Structure formats: structure tokens, C-alpha cells
Amino acid sequence: RAAGSPARTWCRSSPPAADAELAFEGKAVGRVTSAVRADGGIVALAYVRAEVPAEAELDLGRSKARPLH
């Protein structure tokens, strides 16, 4: 993956706001680019910093975001 431009997807119960911030260990590490309803949840794409572990659970406001595989 290219440094600084990896994409992640995840599920949530409600759609994130456009340009919502993602955090890992208290540090801002990415932004949501788009989100759609799918399979009873929300699937979203985001840019996440390359140094964030691929399996990391990210903070999205009061919710948690997790990668889908």
C-alpha cells in the first residue's frame, strides 16, 4: 500500500459524517471519504495513515471502526 493513502472499510450502526476524523491511540490518523448502507450496516471508505496497523480498531467519535476483509 502507498504511504499515507491506504483505504480501510468498516461497519457501524449509523453513517459517519462526511470528512469524519478517525483516531488511533488518541491521535488523528485518517478521514472518512464515503459511506453507504450495506448488509444491515454501514460500509465506509477512509484514508488512514500507513503506520496504523492493518488490524487496528479505530475511534470514530463515540463509535469504533474496524477493517473488513
Side-chain angles (χ1 to χ4, degrees):
R1 64 188 194 196
S5 61
R8 297 272 177 90
T9 58
W10 67 85
C11 279
R12 291 175 38 111
S13 59
S14 62
D19 205 33
E21 182 178 275
L22 292 161
F24 179 65
E25 297 180 343
K27 178 182 172 186
V29 295
R31 295 253 174 221
V32 172
T33 59
S34 61
V36 297
R37 290 198 176 277
D39 298 324
I42 303 296
V43 176
L45 297 176
Y47 281 106
V48 178
R49 295 181 62 93
E51 68 262 23
V52 176
E55 299 298 320
E57 186 174 81
L58 305 176
D59 296 315
L60 179 58
R62 295 182 185 164
S63 299
K64 297 290 185 180
R66 61 180 172 76
L68 296 176
H69 300 282

